[in-house]
Amino acid sequence: MAPKYPEFEPKGNKLRRWMERADEPGCPISRTTLTLPGLDHRVWNIAGHPEFLADEWTYWANTLGLTVDGTASHPKPIYRFQSVLKINGDFTFWVGRTGPGVIFMDNLMRSNDPENFYMSEFAKAFYELDFPLESLKYVFVNTIIQKETIPFIWDHIYKSREGLERPPKEPQTWESPSPEFCGLLGTPIGKVVAALVLCAYGQGVKRISRIVTFHEGEDRSEFNLRFDIEDV
């Protein structure tokens, strides 16, 4: 059967199968050995510090059961701002935050230099600095500006739901293995998170079970994605 979204769905479906099946052939993404202490500090500048979870994330923290700091039970910050910037050579950086069970990817840029590490590898390395890899349940990619992902969501994914307001007022959930889910997984943003799962756990261990699109900011103009990670 021909794919509903030929630009991204076939790639997303491959990524889905690679995550879900240990014996699915052809996966080019291997387990990463990258650690932040192992980076060459003449090339990479690493920064990080504790910070409280911002108020605008309280809704998701309560909805998903994430730990909220700055409370009587957790008075100190338990989340961390994390960044890495390539200071020698091409322009590459990863900026985000980590907390128990969650990664927030806030700003990503990778040049096409084949010697560069991947955004997925940095995400895994930052998370396991402070939290056991097995505990990761959610990945948020925030304020997306990626030039292929946004129009695909707007012009194709949202149009698949008849009568849906654009941008939607409520978060929209796309379950695996629907064409919409696979389409989102095959976008440049989706591929980063799928690669995180594969480079962190290998095949047949963890999978992305659903993707949630939601909007924030003035006139709900900011595109955001949430990826839910579960055991296979």
Side-chain angles (χ1 to χ4, degrees):
M1 181 182 296
K4 187 176 180 180
Y5 308 106
E7 184 177 5
F8 296 120
E9 184 185 345
K11 180 61 176 178
N13 200 34
K14 282 186 178 180
L15 289 163
R16 178 186 66 82
R17 294 198 306 269
W18 287 333
M19 285 187 287
E20 293 180 354
R21 303 174 186 175
D23 58 352
E24 184 71 18
C27 181
I29 303 168
S30 57
R31 298 282 297 276
T32 180
T33 59
L34 174 67
T35 63
L36 296 176
L39 286 175
D40 185 345
H41 290 260
R42 296 168 298 180
V43 178
W44 301 95
N45 180 63
I46 303 168
H49 57 79
E51 68 175 28
F52 289 105
L53 185 66
D55 290 342
E56 60 262 31
W57 292 100
T58 301
Y59 166 80
W60 286 114
N62 292 334
T63 300
L64 302 175
L66 300 176
T67 304
V68 178
D69 45 17
T71 63
S73 57
H74 297 283
K76 295 182 179 180
I78 58 175
Y79 292 81
R80 287 189 64 85
F81 168 84
Q82 311 272 23
S83 71
V84 60
L85 170 66
K86 193 172 187 180
I87 55 176
N88 187 352
D90 53 81
F91 196 48
T92 293
F93 58 83
W94 190 103
V95 179
R97 292 158 291 145
T98 58
V102 63
I103 296 173
F104 300 94
M105 297 190 194
D106 297 324
N107 203 352
L108 311 176
M109 172 66 73
R110 181 182 183 272
S111 77
N112 290 326
D113 183 349
E115 298 298 317
N116 268 343
F117 297 105
Y118 289 95
M119 298 293 102
S120 53
E121 294 182 281
F122 284 125
K124 183 255 188 184
F126 276 125
Y127 187 78
E128 66 179 352
L129 274 179
D130 299 287
F131 308 102
L133 204 55
E134 180 64 28
S135 67
L136 180 61
K137 294 182 179 180
Y138 305 103
V139 176
F140 288 85
V141 185
N142 307 316
T143 318
I144 294 169
I145 59 173
Q146 206 281 324
K147 62 182 180 180
E148 295 171 298
T149 302
I150 287 179
F152 178 66
I153 294 172
W154 189 264
D155 295 331
H156 298 280
I157 297 299
Y158 284 162
K159 283 187 177 180
S160 72
R161 291 185 172 165
E162 186 175 353
L164 182 66
E165 180 183 5
R166 294 185 297 167
K169 292 181 179 179
E170 300 297 328
Q172 300 295 306
T173 300
W174 314 91
E175 298 280 354
S176 177
S178 69
E180 288 71 30
F181 170 89
C182 290
L184 288 167
L185 196 64
T187 63
I189 296 296
K191 288 192 290 186
V192 169
V193 185
L196 163 61
V197 173
L198 288 165
C199 81
Y201 306 104
Q203 291 183 242
V205 179
K206 298 278 188 176
R207 71 183 186 113
I208 297 169
S209 57
R210 69 189 57 83
I211 301 172
V212 178
T213 56
F214 64 101
H215 293 259
E216 294 180 333
E218 186 176 356
D219 299 324
R220 303 192 303 278
S221 59
E222 295 178 5
F223 281 74
N224 306 276
L225 292 172
R226 188 191 92 210
F227 297 79
D228 294 3
I229 298 173
E230 298 179 355
D231 293 334
V232 169

